[in-house]
Amino acid sequence: MFGKKRVAIVGAGLTLFRRNLKETGKELAYEAAKMALDASGLELRDIQTVVMGTAPDAFDGVHMKGEYLADGAGARGKPYVRVFVGGGTGVFTPLAGWWHVASGQFDTCLVVCEEKMSSCFPHPAYAFTTIFDNILARPLGTTLIWIFALEMHRYMHKHNLKKEQIARVAVKNKKNALDHPCAQLGANITVEDVLNSEVLCWPVQRLDISPTSDGAAALVLASEDVAKKITDNPVWIDGVGWCIDSTLWTNRDLYYPDYVEYAARMAYRMAGIKNPPKEIDLAEPYDPFDYKELHHMEGLLLCRKGEAPKLTEEGVTQRDGDLPICPSGGLLGVGNPIAAAGLMKVCEVFWQLRGEAGKRQVPGDPRTGLAQAWGDLMQYGSVIILRR
Amino acid sequence: MSLEKITDPRNMKHWLGHMETDYRYTLGIAGERFLNEIKENARIMGSKCKKCGVIYVPPRMYCEECFEKLEEWVDLGINGEVYTYTVAYLDREGKRLAEPVIYALITFGDAFGGLVHKLGEVKPEEVWIGMPVEAVFKPPYERKGSITDIKYFKPIQ
């Protein structure tokens, strides 16, 4: 056992994901936090500490967004911290919650993630223009999509992949999302629809990419003593891992995310997992673009390098396949309010392991699941392993 | 929780705000020398770690592997190779560009890393990964110590 105390998830909450929601960021945080508390049977006064995750201040347009959101996340008068590792935040936040409890300092912790991207107009992608190197990249008019297009193209080139093979991920995830009550973009589409959609930055087309969204998600964590008192079916956080690569993405091979592998190895070691494809029953890798699901399956060691497209083609990653990937519908289908989207994946694994995923439930009584998020400048991996 | 689907955010009660902040970014120790070499000498330089032997491009002041300070500079020439590329059809605000722009990551021999830049004098369908390219510089009087002193990279004939 790594931490002093074993830590359980005892409740989860999720708002709708939509392009424009009327609620303020604080109100979204509140909706998710309240739902998670109600699900756990605890009240706010039972919560000893709050950990908040939210991505760049520039989305909501509020500097010190962590402080701004604190009261909506139920943190007033409590020990509180906001953590931020770009797109990796949504899975990193429950990791930070975990160490608050595993350390023995707290018995209960509320974890909340929020993003309100619609405040930033004409398009929140504009807020990303200032994440690039000020000297070497910004003068060229860098956009977020084209650096991902460079990475996707290199991945395709390295493994000799066709767009068709990658588009299947978008088809699968948007279809899965039809069964998710919070989803923004559930749809029945075909590979041809993806290939015929507007070209944004070749090879990235409109339907390869997740939308911008507003939304929030939350979890209640408890120490083993408390968890056993309040629920018969806690879900344990048995593995955590995180890792960063250089921000100079020009100095990476781009076709393989080493930093995700290092984060995954850390989490597998802690959970005692030796053979990930056999021991992981379902996974929610980060899928802001369809190719990223494949990239991340490989980085998570769920298959060999270059093998993820083949598994997708063979149906292995479908909800009823041998290794269900993104049964929620992922970011491509449910939506992508950055930090909240990552935590949505952890919520999904929690519900799947409790048998509470409704129409999305994967068969076979899953016992072990994994969620992963990815972010900063294509450089951050955060991984969590849950067990029933 | 608001359940209705809102497609036009202007239909919600709102207050229009703006976070205007301007910045002055220094080029830095390695950056200033790198861009000055482009401006004055039209050449692309890397910085070399004496301990690891790694040549960094773009050049850096320190080795991220061993934390040595890098003071040795190496001329990388102006020829490189397309490592990966994209064809951008949208501008930063999401508006359609009149003409698509080709952006590529260009590597230089054994140097670690590369430069991201535009490709010119070539059509999108003619570009391939591995294509040899050379830097095209602006005329000296137009160069001001910016990465855009390189107009673009073009295929080597």
Side-chain angles (χ1 to χ4, degrees), chain A residues 23 31 61 134 138 140 149-150 153-154 198 200-202 248 251 253, chain B residues 1-2 19 25 60 83-87 89 96 103 112 116 129:
Chain A
E23 286 80 359
E31 293 276 5
N134 307 310
R138 282 178 62 190
L140 298 166
L150 292 169
H153 200 172
R154 189 67 199 178
E198 183 190 10
L200 304 177
C201 289
W202 176 258
L248 287 143
N251 290 64
D253 61 36
Chain B
M1 193 76 229
S2 60
M19 295 212 318
Y25 302 103
R60 255 165 275 173
Y83 185 80
T84 180
Y85 68 93
T86 182
V87 187
Y89 293 90
R96 209 82 193 154
Y103 290 98
F112 179 52
V116 59
I129 290 178

PDB file of all heavy atoms in Angstrom, chain A residues 23 31 61 134 138 140 149-150 153-154 198 200-202 248 251 253, chain B residues 1-2 19 25 60 83-87 89 96 103 112 116 129:
ATOM      1  N   GLU A  23     -26.095  28.780 -16.647  1.00  0.00           N
ATOM      2  CA  GLU A  23     -25.470  28.834 -15.320  1.00  0.00           C
ATOM      3  C   GLU A  23     -24.086  29.489 -15.383  1.00  0.00           C
ATOM      4  O   GLU A  23     -23.349  29.309 -16.345  1.00  0.00           O
ATOM      5  CB  GLU A  23     -25.305  27.416 -14.748  1.00  0.00           C
ATOM      6  CG  GLU A  23     -26.588  26.785 -14.259  1.00  0.00           C
ATOM      7  CD  GLU A  23     -27.440  26.213 -15.381  1.00  0.00           C
ATOM      8  OE1 GLU A  23     -27.039  26.322 -16.551  1.00  0.00           O
ATOM      9  OE2 GLU A  23     -28.514  25.684 -15.076  1.00  0.00           O
ATOM     10  N   GLU A  31     -23.944  22.616  -9.021  1.00  0.00           N
ATOM     11  CA  GLU A  31     -24.852  21.546  -9.484  1.00  0.00           C
ATOM     12  C   GLU A  31     -24.165  20.184  -9.394  1.00  0.00           C
ATOM     13  O   GLU A  31     -24.755  19.210  -8.918  1.00  0.00           O
ATOM     14  CB  GLU A  31     -25.256  21.782 -10.949  1.00  0.00           C
ATOM     15  CG  GLU A  31     -26.125  23.008 -11.185  1.00  0.00           C
ATOM     16  CD  GLU A  31     -27.599  22.741 -10.943  1.00  0.00           C
ATOM     17  OE1 GLU A  31     -27.939  21.623 -10.501  1.00  0.00           O
ATOM     18  OE2 GLU A  31     -28.403  23.668 -11.180  1.00  0.00           O
ATOM     19  N   GLY A  61     -12.755  33.779 -18.333  1.00  0.00           N
ATOM     20  CA  GLY A  61     -12.469  35.216 -18.354  1.00  0.00           C
ATOM     21  C   GLY A  61     -12.368  35.789 -16.960  1.00  0.00           C
ATOM     22  O   GLY A  61     -12.681  36.958 -16.732  1.00  0.00           O
ATOM     23  N   ASN A 134       6.095  32.389 -27.258  1.00  0.00           N
ATOM     24  CA  ASN A 134       5.866  33.774 -27.683  1.00  0.00           C
ATOM     25  C   ASN A 134       6.787  34.203 -28.803  1.00  0.00           C
ATOM     26  O   ASN A 134       6.472  35.100 -29.566  1.00  0.00           O
ATOM     27  CB  ASN A 134       6.107  34.722 -26.511  1.00  0.00           C
ATOM     28  CG  ASN A 134       5.312  34.327 -25.315  1.00  0.00           C
ATOM     29  OD1 ASN A 134       4.124  34.104 -25.429  1.00  0.00           O
ATOM     30  ND2 ASN A 134       5.950  34.200 -24.177  1.00  0.00           N
ATOM     31  N   ARG A 138       4.130  31.961 -31.923  1.00  0.00           N
ATOM     32  CA  ARG A 138       3.006  32.891 -32.051  1.00  0.00           C
ATOM     33  C   ARG A 138       3.083  33.818 -33.258  1.00  0.00           C
ATOM     34  O   ARG A 138       2.053  34.111 -33.860  1.00  0.00           O
ATOM     35  CB  ARG A 138       2.803  33.674 -30.752  1.00  0.00           C
ATOM     36  CG  ARG A 138       2.094  32.827 -29.703  1.00  0.00           C
ATOM     37  CD  ARG A 138       1.926  33.563 -28.399  1.00  0.00           C
ATOM     38  NE  ARG A 138       1.112  34.753 -28.542  1.00  0.00           N
ATOM     39  CZ  ARG A 138       0.983  35.671 -27.588  1.00  0.00           C
ATOM     40  NH1 ARG A 138       1.612  35.515 -26.440  1.00  0.00           N
ATOM     41  NH2 ARG A 138       0.225  36.730 -27.772  1.00  0.00           N
ATOM     42  N   LEU A 140       3.773  33.142 -36.078  1.00  0.00           N
ATOM     43  CA  LEU A 140       3.318  32.428 -37.272  1.00  0.00           C
ATOM     44  C   LEU A 140       1.802  32.278 -37.311  1.00  0.00           C
ATOM     45  O   LEU A 140       1.249  31.755 -38.278  1.00  0.00           O
ATOM     46  CB  LEU A 140       3.958  31.035 -37.320  1.00  0.00           C
ATOM     47  CG  LEU A 140       5.484  31.015 -37.413  1.00  0.00           C
ATOM     48  CD1 LEU A 140       6.006  29.625 -37.120  1.00  0.00           C
ATOM     49  CD2 LEU A 140       5.936  31.473 -38.793  1.00  0.00           C
ATOM     50  N   ALA A 149      -2.908  18.629 -35.684  1.00  0.00           N
ATOM     51  CA  ALA A 149      -2.875  18.075 -37.040  1.00  0.00           C
ATOM     52  C   ALA A 149      -1.474  17.559 -37.364  1.00  0.00           C
ATOM     53  O   ALA A 149      -1.314  16.508 -37.985  1.00  0.00           O
ATOM     54  CB  ALA A 149      -3.309  19.145 -38.045  1.00  0.00           C
ATOM     55  N   LEU A 150      -0.454  18.298 -36.905  1.00  0.00           N
ATOM     56  CA  LEU A 150       0.931  17.853 -37.135  1.00  0.00           C
ATOM     57  C   LEU A 150       1.191  16.521 -36.426  1.00  0.00           C
ATOM     58  O   LEU A 150       1.818  15.617 -36.970  1.00  0.00           O
ATOM     59  CB  LEU A 150       1.919  18.917 -36.629  1.00  0.00           C
ATOM     60  CG  LEU A 150       1.958  20.235 -37.403  1.00  0.00           C
ATOM     61  CD1 LEU A 150       2.766  21.278 -36.641  1.00  0.00           C
ATOM     62  CD2 LEU A 150       2.539  20.043 -38.788  1.00  0.00           C
ATOM     63  N   HIS A 153      -0.825  13.657 -38.150  1.00  0.00           N
ATOM     64  CA  HIS A 153      -0.237  13.289 -39.433  1.00  0.00           C
ATOM     65  C   HIS A 153       0.998  12.407 -39.226  1.00  0.00           C
ATOM     66  O   HIS A 153       1.222  11.438 -39.953  1.00  0.00           O
ATOM     67  CB  HIS A 153       0.120  14.557 -40.212  1.00  0.00           C
ATOM     68  CG  HIS A 153       0.283  14.337 -41.680  1.00  0.00           C
ATOM     69  ND1 HIS A 153       0.440  15.352 -42.578  1.00  0.00           N
ATOM     70  CD2 HIS A 153       0.307  13.200 -42.417  1.00  0.00           C
ATOM     71  CE1 HIS A 153       0.553  14.852 -43.796  1.00  0.00           C
ATOM     72  NE2 HIS A 153       0.482  13.543 -43.725  1.00  0.00           N
ATOM     73  N   ARG A 154       1.801  12.754 -38.214  1.00  0.00           N
ATOM     74  CA  ARG A 154       2.996  11.960 -37.928  1.00  0.00           C
ATOM     75  C   ARG A 154       2.606  10.549 -37.468  1.00  0.00           C
ATOM     76  O   ARG A 154       3.236   9.560 -37.844  1.00  0.00           O
ATOM     77  CB  ARG A 154       3.841  12.668 -36.867  1.00  0.00           C
ATOM     78  CG  ARG A 154       5.208  12.046 -36.657  1.00  0.00           C
ATOM     79  CD  ARG A 154       6.121  12.212 -37.860  1.00  0.00           C
ATOM     80  NE  ARG A 154       7.229  11.268 -37.829  1.00  0.00           N
ATOM     81  CZ  ARG A 154       8.162  11.153 -38.769  1.00  0.00           C
ATOM     82  NH1 ARG A 154       8.128  11.938 -39.833  1.00  0.00           N
ATOM     83  NH2 ARG A 154       9.113  10.272 -38.676  1.00  0.00           N
ATOM     84  N   GLU A 198     -16.041  19.083 -43.043  1.00  0.00           N
ATOM     85  CA  GLU A 198     -15.165  20.209 -43.395  1.00  0.00           C
ATOM     86  C   GLU A 198     -13.711  19.963 -42.951  1.00  0.00           C
ATOM     87  O   GLU A 198     -13.474  19.528 -41.819  1.00  0.00           O
ATOM     88  CB  GLU A 198     -15.694  21.465 -42.698  1.00  0.00           C
ATOM     89  CG  GLU A 198     -14.930  22.730 -43.010  1.00  0.00           C
ATOM     90  CD  GLU A 198     -15.338  23.900 -42.102  1.00  0.00           C
ATOM     91  OE1 GLU A 198     -16.077  23.671 -41.123  1.00  0.00           O
ATOM     92  OE2 GLU A 198     -14.914  25.029 -42.385  1.00  0.00           O
ATOM     93  N   LEU A 200     -10.471  21.191 -41.495  1.00  0.00           N
ATOM     94  CA  LEU A 200     -10.036  22.353 -40.709  1.00  0.00           C
ATOM     95  C   LEU A 200      -8.540  22.561 -40.915  1.00  0.00           C
ATOM     96  O   LEU A 200      -8.108  23.620 -41.357  1.00  0.00           O
ATOM     97  CB  LEU A 200     -10.357  22.132 -39.230  1.00  0.00           C
ATOM     98  CG  LEU A 200     -11.835  21.820 -38.934  1.00  0.00           C
ATOM     99  CD1 LEU A 200     -12.027  21.538 -37.454  1.00  0.00           C
ATOM    100  CD2 LEU A 200     -12.742  22.958 -39.367  1.00  0.00           C
ATOM    101  N   CYS A 201      -7.753  21.579 -40.550  1.00  0.00           N
ATOM    102  CA  CYS A 201      -6.311  21.568 -40.803  1.00  0.00           C
ATOM    103  C   CYS A 201      -5.986  20.127 -41.145  1.00  0.00           C
ATOM    104  O   CYS A 201      -5.977  19.274 -40.258  1.00  0.00           O
ATOM    105  CB  CYS A 201      -5.518  21.953 -39.559  1.00  0.00           C
ATOM    106  SG  CYS A 201      -5.648  23.670 -39.123  1.00  0.00           S
ATOM    107  N   TRP A 202      -5.771  19.842 -42.376  1.00  0.00           N
ATOM    108  CA  TRP A 202      -5.540  18.455 -42.777  1.00  0.00           C
ATOM    109  C   TRP A 202      -4.459  17.815 -41.902  1.00  0.00           C
ATOM    110  O   TRP A 202      -3.431  18.456 -41.701  1.00  0.00           O
ATOM    111  CB  TRP A 202      -5.135  18.373 -44.250  1.00  0.00           C
ATOM    112  CG  TRP A 202      -4.800  16.973 -44.615  1.00  0.00           C
ATOM    113  CD1 TRP A 202      -3.562  16.414 -44.769  1.00  0.00           C
ATOM    114  CD2 TRP A 202      -5.734  15.912 -44.807  1.00  0.00           C
ATOM    115  NE1 TRP A 202      -3.670  15.084 -45.040  1.00  0.00           N
ATOM    116  CE2 TRP A 202      -4.989  14.748 -45.067  1.00  0.00           C
ATOM    117  CE3 TRP A 202      -7.143  15.825 -44.758  1.00  0.00           C
ATOM    118  CZ2 TRP A 202      -5.604  13.505 -45.288  1.00  0.00           C
ATOM    119  CZ3 TRP A 202      -7.740  14.592 -44.985  1.00  0.00           C
ATOM    120  CH2 TRP A 202      -6.964  13.453 -45.244  1.00  0.00           C
ATOM    121  N   LEU A 248       8.492  21.922 -25.175  1.00  0.00           N
ATOM    122  CA  LEU A 248       8.983  22.092 -26.549  1.00  0.00           C
ATOM    123  C   LEU A 248       8.572  20.868 -27.355  1.00  0.00           C
ATOM    124  O   LEU A 248       9.334  19.919 -27.520  1.00  0.00           O
ATOM    125  CB  LEU A 248      10.496  22.294 -26.538  1.00  0.00           C
ATOM    126  CG  LEU A 248      10.832  23.694 -26.013  1.00  0.00           C
ATOM    127  CD1 LEU A 248      12.069  23.690 -25.173  1.00  0.00           C
ATOM    128  CD2 LEU A 248      10.946  24.671 -27.168  1.00  0.00           C
ATOM    129  N   ASN A 251      10.436  18.895 -29.961  1.00  0.00           N
ATOM    130  CA  ASN A 251      11.507  17.966 -29.598  1.00  0.00           C
ATOM    131  C   ASN A 251      10.976  16.600 -29.190  1.00  0.00           C
ATOM    132  O   ASN A 251      11.575  15.908 -28.403  1.00  0.00           O
ATOM    133  CB  ASN A 251      12.343  18.552 -28.468  1.00  0.00           C
ATOM    134  CG  ASN A 251      13.153  19.727 -28.935  1.00  0.00           C
ATOM    135  OD1 ASN A 251      12.564  20.731 -29.330  1.00  0.00           O
ATOM    136  ND2 ASN A 251      14.457  19.621 -28.946  1.00  0.00           N
ATOM    137  N   ASP A 253       8.907  12.824 -30.644  1.00  0.00           N
ATOM    138  CA  ASP A 253       8.683  12.077 -31.881  1.00  0.00           C
ATOM    139  C   ASP A 253       7.231  12.219 -32.371  1.00  0.00           C
ATOM    140  O   ASP A 253       6.935  11.908 -33.512  1.00  0.00           O
ATOM    141  CB  ASP A 253       9.086  10.622 -31.725  1.00  0.00           C
ATOM    142  CG  ASP A 253       8.299   9.900 -30.654  1.00  0.00           C
ATOM    143  OD1 ASP A 253       7.104  10.183 -30.504  1.00  0.00           O
ATOM    144  OD2 ASP A 253       8.873   9.048 -29.968  1.00  0.00           O
TER     145      ASP A 253
ATOM    146  N   MET B   1     -30.900  23.632 -13.017  1.00  0.00           N
ATOM    147  CA  MET B   1     -30.178  23.274 -14.255  1.00  0.00           C
ATOM    148  C   MET B   1     -31.022  23.708 -15.436  1.00  0.00           C
ATOM    149  O   MET B   1     -32.195  23.348 -15.530  1.00  0.00           O
ATOM    150  CB  MET B   1     -30.027  21.751 -14.239  1.00  0.00           C
ATOM    151  CG  MET B   1     -29.050  21.197 -15.250  1.00  0.00           C
ATOM    152  SD  MET B   1     -27.344  21.431 -14.779  1.00  0.00           S
ATOM    153  CE  MET B   1     -26.689  22.110 -16.266  1.00  0.00           C
ATOM    154  N   SER B   2     -30.447  24.490 -16.298  1.00  0.00           N
ATOM    155  CA  SER B   2     -31.214  24.922 -17.467  1.00  0.00           C
ATOM    156  C   SER B   2     -31.187  23.820 -18.506  1.00  0.00           C
ATOM    157  O   SER B   2     -30.142  23.340 -18.896  1.00  0.00           O
ATOM    158  CB  SER B   2     -30.629  26.215 -18.044  1.00  0.00           C
ATOM    159  OG  SER B   2     -29.294  26.014 -18.438  1.00  0.00           O
ATOM    160  N   MET B  19     -10.890  41.263 -21.171  1.00  0.00           N
ATOM    161  CA  MET B  19      -9.709  41.198 -20.316  1.00  0.00           C
ATOM    162  C   MET B  19      -8.524  41.672 -21.121  1.00  0.00           C
ATOM    163  O   MET B  19      -7.805  40.862 -21.689  1.00  0.00           O
ATOM    164  CB  MET B  19      -9.449  39.775 -19.817  1.00  0.00           C
ATOM    165  CG  MET B  19     -10.521  39.235 -18.918  1.00  0.00           C
ATOM    166  SD  MET B  19      -9.949  38.076 -17.640  1.00  0.00           S
ATOM    167  CE  MET B  19      -8.805  37.063 -18.472  1.00  0.00           C
ATOM    168  N   TYR B  25       7.291  40.480 -24.429  1.00  0.00           N
ATOM    169  CA  TYR B  25       8.017  39.247 -24.141  1.00  0.00           C
ATOM    170  C   TYR B  25       9.477  39.399 -24.559  1.00  0.00           C
ATOM    171  O   TYR B  25       9.755  39.626 -25.738  1.00  0.00           O
ATOM    172  CB  TYR B  25       7.413  38.077 -24.913  1.00  0.00           C
ATOM    173  CG  TYR B  25       5.945  37.837 -24.633  1.00  0.00           C
ATOM    174  CD1 TYR B  25       4.963  38.237 -25.533  1.00  0.00           C
ATOM    175  CD2 TYR B  25       5.551  37.194 -23.464  1.00  0.00           C
ATOM    176  CE1 TYR B  25       3.625  38.005 -25.283  1.00  0.00           C
ATOM    177  CE2 TYR B  25       4.206  36.957 -23.199  1.00  0.00           C
ATOM    178  CZ  TYR B  25       3.244  37.366 -24.116  1.00  0.00           C
ATOM    179  OH  TYR B  25       1.925  37.137 -23.867  1.00  0.00           O
ATOM    180  N   ARG B  60      18.752  26.414 -26.870  1.00  0.00           N
ATOM    181  CA  ARG B  60      18.358  26.736 -25.510  1.00  0.00           C
ATOM    182  C   ARG B  60      19.569  27.121 -24.685  1.00  0.00           C
ATOM    183  O   ARG B  60      20.694  26.820 -25.049  1.00  0.00           O
ATOM    184  CB  ARG B  60      17.700  25.516 -24.874  1.00  0.00           C
ATOM    185  CG  ARG B  60      16.210  25.693 -24.796  1.00  0.00           C
ATOM    186  CD  ARG B  60      15.550  24.371 -24.519  1.00  0.00           C
ATOM    187  NE  ARG B  60      15.334  23.651 -25.749  1.00  0.00           N
ATOM    188  CZ  ARG B  60      14.888  22.415 -25.778  1.00  0.00           C
ATOM    189  NH1 ARG B  60      14.663  21.774 -24.652  1.00  0.00           N
ATOM    190  NH2 ARG B  60      14.672  21.819 -26.933  1.00  0.00           N
ATOM    191  N   TYR B  83       9.223  16.969 -41.217  1.00  0.00           N
ATOM    192  CA  TYR B  83       8.999  15.844 -40.296  1.00  0.00           C
ATOM    193  C   TYR B  83       7.517  15.499 -40.248  1.00  0.00           C
ATOM    194  O   TYR B  83       7.130  14.345 -40.209  1.00  0.00           O
ATOM    195  CB  TYR B  83       9.515  16.230 -38.911  1.00  0.00           C
ATOM    196  CG  TYR B  83       9.445  15.110 -37.893  1.00  0.00           C
ATOM    197  CD1 TYR B  83      10.417  14.122 -37.864  1.00  0.00           C
ATOM    198  CD2 TYR B  83       8.394  15.026 -36.972  1.00  0.00           C
ATOM    199  CE1 TYR B  83      10.356  13.083 -36.948  1.00  0.00           C
ATOM    200  CE2 TYR B  83       8.327  13.995 -36.056  1.00  0.00           C
ATOM    201  CZ  TYR B  83       9.309  13.027 -36.046  1.00  0.00           C
ATOM    202  OH  TYR B  83       9.229  11.992 -35.128  1.00  0.00           O
ATOM    203  N   THR B  84       6.682  16.538 -40.227  1.00  0.00           N
ATOM    204  CA  THR B  84       5.233  16.370 -40.353  1.00  0.00           C
ATOM    205  C   THR B  84       4.679  17.709 -40.808  1.00  0.00           C
ATOM    206  O   THR B  84       5.359  18.733 -40.713  1.00  0.00           O
ATOM    207  CB  THR B  84       4.583  15.898 -39.042  1.00  0.00           C
ATOM    208  OG1 THR B  84       3.163  15.747 -39.224  1.00  0.00           O
ATOM    209  CG2 THR B  84       4.821  16.866 -37.893  1.00  0.00           C
ATOM    210  N   TYR B  85       3.464  17.709 -41.366  1.00  0.00           N
ATOM    211  CA  TYR B  85       2.907  18.988 -41.815  1.00  0.00           C
ATOM    212  C   TYR B  85       1.388  18.964 -41.744  1.00  0.00           C
ATOM    213  O   TYR B  85       0.774  17.903 -41.590  1.00  0.00           O
ATOM    214  CB  TYR B  85       3.351  19.312 -43.254  1.00  0.00           C
ATOM    215  CG  TYR B  85       2.760  18.396 -44.301  1.00  0.00           C
ATOM    216  CD1 TYR B  85       1.587  18.732 -44.971  1.00  0.00           C
ATOM    217  CD2 TYR B  85       3.379  17.189 -44.616  1.00  0.00           C
ATOM    218  CE1 TYR B  85       1.040  17.889 -45.922  1.00  0.00           C
ATOM    219  CE2 TYR B  85       2.837  16.338 -45.563  1.00  0.00           C
ATOM    220  CZ  TYR B  85       1.666  16.693 -46.214  1.00  0.00           C
ATOM    221  OH  TYR B  85       1.121  15.843 -47.137  1.00  0.00           O
ATOM    222  N   THR B  86       0.807  20.153 -41.823  1.00  0.00           N
ATOM    223  CA  THR B  86      -0.643  20.283 -41.874  1.00  0.00           C
ATOM    224  C   THR B  86      -0.998  21.381 -42.858  1.00  0.00           C
ATOM    225  O   THR B  86      -0.156  22.233 -43.181  1.00  0.00           O
ATOM    226  CB  THR B  86      -1.236  20.599 -40.488  1.00  0.00           C
ATOM    227  OG1 THR B  86      -2.669  20.675 -40.596  1.00  0.00           O
ATOM    228  CG2 THR B  86      -0.729  21.919 -39.933  1.00  0.00           C
ATOM    229  N   VAL B  87      -2.223  21.349 -43.354  1.00  0.00           N
ATOM    230  CA  VAL B  87      -2.707  22.398 -44.246  1.00  0.00           C
ATOM    231  C   VAL B  87      -3.858  23.097 -43.531  1.00  0.00           C
ATOM    232  O   VAL B  87      -4.894  22.487 -43.284  1.00  0.00           O
ATOM    233  CB  VAL B  87      -3.190  21.813 -45.590  1.00  0.00           C
ATOM    234  CG1 VAL B  87      -3.530  22.936 -46.553  1.00  0.00           C
ATOM    235  CG2 VAL B  87      -2.138  20.884 -46.173  1.00  0.00           C
ATOM    236  N   TYR B  89      -6.887  25.611 -43.010  1.00  0.00           N
ATOM    237  CA  TYR B  89      -7.928  26.274 -43.801  1.00  0.00           C
ATOM    238  C   TYR B  89      -8.633  27.381 -43.020  1.00  0.00           C
ATOM    239  O   TYR B  89      -9.448  28.108 -43.570  1.00  0.00           O
ATOM    240  CB  TYR B  89      -8.962  25.246 -44.270  1.00  0.00           C
ATOM    241  CG  TYR B  89      -8.389  24.264 -45.276  1.00  0.00           C
ATOM    242  CD1 TYR B  89      -7.795  23.077 -44.853  1.00  0.00           C
ATOM    243  CD2 TYR B  89      -8.408  24.540 -46.639  1.00  0.00           C
ATOM    244  CE1 TYR B  89      -7.242  22.185 -45.767  1.00  0.00           C
ATOM    245  CE2 TYR B  89      -7.857  23.664 -47.552  1.00  0.00           C
ATOM    246  CZ  TYR B  89      -7.275  22.489 -47.116  1.00  0.00           C
ATOM    247  OH  TYR B  89      -6.734  21.626 -48.025  1.00  0.00           O
ATOM    248  N   ARG B  96     -12.595  31.216 -42.457  1.00  0.00           N
ATOM    249  CA  ARG B  96     -11.990  30.516 -43.583  1.00  0.00           C
ATOM    250  C   ARG B  96     -10.879  31.385 -44.195  1.00  0.00           C
ATOM    251  O   ARG B  96     -11.091  32.566 -44.465  1.00  0.00           O
ATOM    252  CB  ARG B  96     -13.101  30.277 -44.615  1.00  0.00           C
ATOM    253  CG  ARG B  96     -12.910  29.061 -45.478  1.00  0.00           C
ATOM    254  CD  ARG B  96     -13.353  27.790 -44.799  1.00  0.00           C
ATOM    255  NE  ARG B  96     -12.857  26.660 -45.569  1.00  0.00           N
ATOM    256  CZ  ARG B  96     -12.616  25.457 -45.059  1.00  0.00           C
ATOM    257  NH1 ARG B  96     -12.840  25.215 -43.804  1.00  0.00           N
ATOM    258  NH2 ARG B  96     -12.160  24.498 -45.827  1.00  0.00           N
ATOM    259  N   TYR B 103       1.741  24.436 -42.847  1.00  0.00           N
ATOM    260  CA  TYR B 103       2.676  24.558 -41.733  1.00  0.00           C
ATOM    261  C   TYR B 103       3.389  23.232 -41.561  1.00  0.00           C
ATOM    262  O   TYR B 103       2.774  22.178 -41.685  1.00  0.00           O
ATOM    263  CB  TYR B 103       1.941  24.900 -40.438  1.00  0.00           C
ATOM    264  CG  TYR B 103       1.373  26.292 -40.406  1.00  0.00           C
ATOM    265  CD1 TYR B 103       0.033  26.530 -40.700  1.00  0.00           C
ATOM    266  CD2 TYR B 103       2.171  27.376 -40.058  1.00  0.00           C
ATOM    267  CE1 TYR B 103      -0.501  27.812 -40.662  1.00  0.00           C
ATOM    268  CE2 TYR B 103       1.647  28.657 -40.015  1.00  0.00           C
ATOM    269  CZ  TYR B 103       0.315  28.872 -40.315  1.00  0.00           C
ATOM    270  OH  TYR B 103      -0.196  30.132 -40.263  1.00  0.00           O
ATOM    271  N   PHE B 112      18.565  17.902 -32.177  1.00  0.00           N
ATOM    272  CA  PHE B 112      17.408  17.474 -31.408  1.00  0.00           C
ATOM    273  C   PHE B 112      16.340  18.566 -31.484  1.00  0.00           C
ATOM    274  O   PHE B 112      16.553  19.685 -31.036  1.00  0.00           O
ATOM    275  CB  PHE B 112      17.842  17.229 -29.962  1.00  0.00           C
ATOM    276  CG  PHE B 112      16.732  16.813 -29.043  1.00  0.00           C
ATOM    277  CD1 PHE B 112      15.897  15.746 -29.362  1.00  0.00           C
ATOM    278  CD2 PHE B 112      16.516  17.482 -27.850  1.00  0.00           C
ATOM    279  CE1 PHE B 112      14.881  15.345 -28.497  1.00  0.00           C
ATOM    280  CE2 PHE B 112      15.505  17.094 -26.983  1.00  0.00           C
ATOM    281  CZ  PHE B 112      14.687  16.029 -27.315  1.00  0.00           C
ATOM    282  N   VAL B 116       9.085  24.991 -36.309  1.00  0.00           N
ATOM    283  CA  VAL B 116       7.792  24.970 -36.966  1.00  0.00           C
ATOM    284  C   VAL B 116       7.722  26.224 -37.833  1.00  0.00           C
ATOM    285  O   VAL B 116       8.115  27.310 -37.405  1.00  0.00           O
ATOM    286  CB  VAL B 116       6.645  24.870 -35.943  1.00  0.00           C
ATOM    287  CG1 VAL B 116       6.647  26.004 -34.969  1.00  0.00           C
ATOM    288  CG2 VAL B 116       5.296  24.787 -36.637  1.00  0.00           C
ATOM    289  N   ILE B 129       6.117  13.916 -46.299  1.00  0.00           N
ATOM    290  CA  ILE B 129       6.946  13.801 -45.101  1.00  0.00           C
ATOM    291  C   ILE B 129       8.301  13.247 -45.510  1.00  0.00           C
ATOM    292  O   ILE B 129       8.373  12.237 -46.196  1.00  0.00           O
ATOM    293  CB  ILE B 129       6.243  12.925 -44.046  1.00  0.00           C
ATOM    294  CG1 ILE B 129       5.028  13.684 -43.480  1.00  0.00           C
ATOM    295  CG2 ILE B 129       7.208  12.521 -42.919  1.00  0.00           C
ATOM    296  CD1 ILE B 129       4.201  12.934 -42.472  1.00  0.00           C
TER     297      ILE B 129
END
